[in-house]
Amino acid sequence: MKVVWENKGGLGDDKEVPHLVYISREKRPKYLHHYKTGAMNFLLRVSGLMTNAPYMLNVDCDMYVNEPDVVRQAMCVFLQNSKNSNHCAFVQFPQNFYDSCTNELAVLQSYLGRGVAGIQGPFYIGSGCFHTRRVMYGLSSDDIEDNGNLSSVATREFLAEDSLVKRYGSSKELVQSVVDALQRKSNPQKSLENLIEEAQQVGHCHYEYQTSWGNFGWLYDSVAEDINTSIGIHLRGWTSSFISPDPPAFVGSTPSLGLEAIVQQRRWSTGAIEVLFNQQSPLSGMFRRKIKFRQRLAYFWALMCIRSIPELVYCLLPAYCLLHNSALFPKGPCLGIIVTLLGMHCLYSLWQFMRLGFSVKSWYVAQSIWRIIATGSWLFSIQDIILKLLGISKIGFIVAKKTMPDKPTQGEDDGPKSDLRKFEFDSSHHFIPGTFILFVNLAALAIFFVGQQRSSCSHGGGGSGLAEACGCILVIMLFLPFLKGLFEHGKYGIPFSTLSKAVFLTVLFVVVSLGI
């Protein structure tokens, strides 16, 4: 821990530089670190000793502040003169990326973020978020009076000496800072150098044992600490606010389009499914009154990464029907209804993209990438959860590596991005499902068009036809990066080991479908 710069001049001088403290968290093999969540709780304790500021900004290391007025914008929400001003727990800004190859996240934040903001507030998404310290110390909305002070019940529950030590640990300085924060008392100016020893004490990896850390602050029991903590805050009755300024408040970098993006999505989806089985689950929240019903539905939608199994089935169904000579779609007017509904859905999602200024190509890339993610990283996250529930293995925090492309020049990051990067491959097993899906649909089309399937089918008009063939073509179009990977070399080509495994699975699928 090192005090790089200490602001001894106090507030009021626009030219005065704030405190700047470098902190490195202690880690030991025999102690749980709780990954990013443990680091955030460590920062929460140390900042409580150093400044005890009532508001905190969380920004990931791969993002930067793009709007200098962002703090004022958040404070306008926290400090507004309204009856419910004390009920806002955090202010979330959307995540924007200067090197994004797909704009699906921007569209989701624009529509879903604003929609959920009208219920009980947006989700905490891990970065670009202002938090209130009192809420992170475990207060519920019922613990606050209309004037912002602690209620009598909360005073007895939180400020009792035994309760403070049990909740927050044995550090007297930290306990005193918690009491001051809960009571909204200003923190007297102290020399930061004098607090380093105490800050190192609360930073020891064994400090949290026999305390309640992890049940408040940033919550444990999931590698998706953001969604887990967000549900915990809303379950306690708090609201949140969504601000989407122009230009964007925070801009960052994304992983390369390939393994790193898939690994990141696997961690997110695994953590989301973990939430379904812990204390913050929307399922158990159905019996709590402090979170609104529609807010529970919104969280349940965000956690439904298990839809990877239906997506995988949908990608294989047209090929299976062609090979088995069975009808997937109804004939006659019913087929027209299905095509109409599918067309309306595609046009609506395309309208969402174009309304935000994105191109048709960007929409197509987004549909392709998210089908690849759903049948790849999300599928393996279900495997991770099953192994965890069976006690076979634990879930680890896999860090996604990110490249550092040239940052855009002034004005380039003001609009939609046109740089759609190429998909990268390696020998990872994450690419086997996508390659397998591509081969199965190509094989089904080949067998269908050369007439091998028709020659072995029984007489009758109930078999597969052009509709199922169009379904296979649609799947191939969605997995176009894998088709291109068959003809590329180096990191843009699919390795032989992945191809061989996918071919084996394809032959097995074709044999089973044909009934040979």
Side-chain angles (χ1 to χ4, degrees):
M1 188 174 301
K2 181 177 178 59
V3 179
V4 180
W5 171 261
E6 183 174 359
N7 177 8
K8 297 181 180 180
L11 303 176
D13 189 351
D14 293 338
K15 298 181 180 179
E16 188 69 38
V17 180
H19 296 315
L20 180 59
V21 183
Y22 174 80
I23 301 172
S24 178
R25 182 166 58 124
E26 181 188 29
K27 292 184 179 180
R28 295 184 183 179
K30 294 183 179 180
Y31 292 89
L32 288 176
H33 304 138
H34 300 291
Y35 312 114
K36 180 180 176 180
T37 319
M40 296 302 296
N41 283 332
F42 167 54
L43 287 171
L44 180 60
R45 295 193 295 269
V46 172
S47 63
L49 290 172
M50 293 291 185
T51 63
N52 213 23
Y55 304 103
M56 303 167 290
L57 170 61
N58 167 214
V59 183
D60 282 351
C61 61
D62 54 2
M63 305 197 77
Y64 64 90
V65 180
N66 190 58
E67 169 56 59
D69 202 41
V70 62
V71 177
R72 188 189 304 271
Q73 295 176 12
M75 291 305 106
C76 286
V77 175
F78 285 129
L79 305 178
Q80 61 181 334
N81 293 321
S82 68
K83 184 177 180 181
N84 294 325
S85 62
N86 294 312
H87 290 170
C88 182
F90 61 86
V91 175
Q92 178 66 63
F93 290 81
Q95 292 187 7
N96 292 271
F97 304 97
Y98 60 82
D99 59 347
S100 177
C101 60
T102 172
N103 299 291
E104 178 75 11
L105 183 59
V107 175
L108 278 176
Q109 290 180 133
S110 179
Y111 292 99
L112 181 64
R114 287 184 171 90
V116 179
I119 307 174
Q120 198 169 339
F123 312 148
Y124 165 48
I125 55 177
S127 181
C129 185
F130 286 84
H131 292 275
T132 50
R133 184 175 295 275
R134 295 204 300 173
V135 173
M136 302 310 288
Y137 282 156
L139 288 182
S140 299
S141 60
D142 294 341
D143 298 327
I144 305 295
E145 302 287 353
D146 290 338
N147 59 5
N149 296 327
L150 286 179
S151 65
S152 57
V153 175
T155 300
R156 292 192 300 269
E157 179 182 355
F158 283 89
L159 301 187
E161 184 176 352
D162 293 342
S163 177
L164 287 169
V165 174
K166 184 178 180 180
R167 283 174 179 268
Y168 306 104
S170 58
S171 171
K172 295 181 179 179
E173 289 285 344
L174 177 61
V175 168
Q176 184 58 50
S177 72
V178 170
V179 172
D180 292 340
L182 294 177
Q183 294 180 334
R184 298 197 303 177
K185 294 181 180 179
S186 60
N187 187 53
Q189 281 289 348
K190 296 180 181 179
S191 174
L192 298 185
E193 296 287 349
N194 298 333
L195 296 170
I196 289 183
E197 183 177 351
E198 192 69 24
Q200 289 176 338
Q201 177 187 341
V202 302
H204 283 314
C205 54
H206 57 74
Y207 181 81
E208 293 185 357
Y209 280 83
Q210 305 301 321
T211 68
S212 297
W213 285 99
N215 293 321
F216 60 86
W218 277 261
L219 304 184
Y220 299 153
D221 297 331
S222 173
V223 293
E225 81 293 331
D226 47 4
I227 197 74
N228 195 32
T229 302
S230 179
I231 295 180
I233 291 174
H234 285 135
L235 282 173
R236 284 182 274 142
W238 295 101
T239 63
S240 53
S241 294
F242 183 79
I243 301 179
S244 182
D246 187 18
F250 302 95
V251 180
S253 174
T254 57
S256 59
L257 189 55
L259 178 61
E260 302 306 334
I262 290 177
V263 166
Q264 185 184 66
Q265 288 289 334
R266 178 177 178 176
R267 187 184 76 236
W268 289 350
S269 58
T270 301
I273 300 176
E274 279 185 299
V275 176
L276 288 175
F277 296 95
N278 65 20
Q279 296 179 352
Q280 280 67 245
S281 173
L283 297 176
S284 62
M286 294 175 65
F287 305 101
R288 305 183 187 183
R289 299 181 179 179
K290 293 182 182 180
I291 184 171
K292 296 182 179 179
F293 176 73
R294 289 188 298 158
Q295 189 79 8
R296 290 196 296 266
L297 294 181
Y299 272 117
F300 194 70
W301 175 90
L303 301 178
M304 286 301 291
C305 303
I306 55 176
R307 65 190 176 109
S308 60
I309 296 178
E311 293 239 15
L312 178 64
V313 172
Y314 291 148
C315 290
L316 297 175
L317 263 179
Y320 174 81
C321 291
L322 278 184
L323 295 170
H324 194 259
N325 193 34
S326 55
L328 174 61
F329 303 103
K331 308 296 182 181
C334 292
L335 178 60
I337 295 175
I338 293 176
V339 173
T340 301
L341 292 177
L342 179 62
M344 290 173 61
H345 170 73
C346 293
L347 290 175
Y348 178 70
S349 62
L350 176 61
W351 171 81
Q352 288 181 322
F353 272 75
M354 299 187 69
R355 185 171 179 264
L356 297 178
F358 299 120
S359 64
V360 177
K361 184 178 181 181
S362 177
W363 169 77
Y364 165 71
V365 170
Q367 306 308 310
S368 175
I369 295 302
W370 283 97
R371 297 294 77 72
I372 294 172
I373 289 174
T375 56
S377 58
W378 291 2
L379 189 65
F380 284 103
S381 67
I382 296 178
Q383 166 196 293
D384 295 338
I385 291 296
I386 293 176
L387 294 178
K388 177 186 176 181
L389 294 178
L390 294 177
I392 299 176
S393 66
K394 296 181 179 180
I395 296 174
F397 190 93
I398 306 174
V399 179
K401 299 178 182 179
K402 299 184 180 181
T403 57
M404 295 302 295
D406 295 333
K407 289 185 179 181
T409 57
Q410 184 66 27
E412 287 184 357
D413 57 343
D414 294 334
K417 292 79 176 173
S418 59
D419 180 22
L420 302 177
R421 294 174 290 169
K422 296 179 66 175
F423 204 88
E424 300 177 4
F425 298 92
D426 67 1
S427 57
S428 171
H429 57 276
H430 290 89
F431 299 110
I432 296 177
T435 310
F436 164 64
I437 291 172
L438 175 68
F439 282 169
V440 164
N441 284 275
L442 288 175
L445 282 177
I447 293 175
F448 175 76
F449 283 118
V450 300
Q452 294 182 9
Q453 177 62 34
R454 269 183 279 178
S455 63
S456 61
C457 69
S458 59
H459 297 286
S464 58
L466 187 60
E468 288 74 20
C470 290
C472 289
I473 295 174
L474 177 61
V475 173
I476 293 173
M477 290 177 60
L478 291 174
F479 285 82
L480 188 60
F482 285 82
L483 183 62
K484 292 181 178 179
L486 297 178
F487 307 99
E488 296 281 356
H489 301 283
K491 64 179 182 180
Y492 301 119
I494 303 177
F496 177 77
S497 59
T498 302
L499 291 174
S500 59
K501 296 173 184 176
V503 167
F504 172 77
L505 293 175
T506 301
V507 172
L508 186 63
F509 183 90
V510 171
V511 169
V512 172
S513 300
L514 292 175
I516 300 177

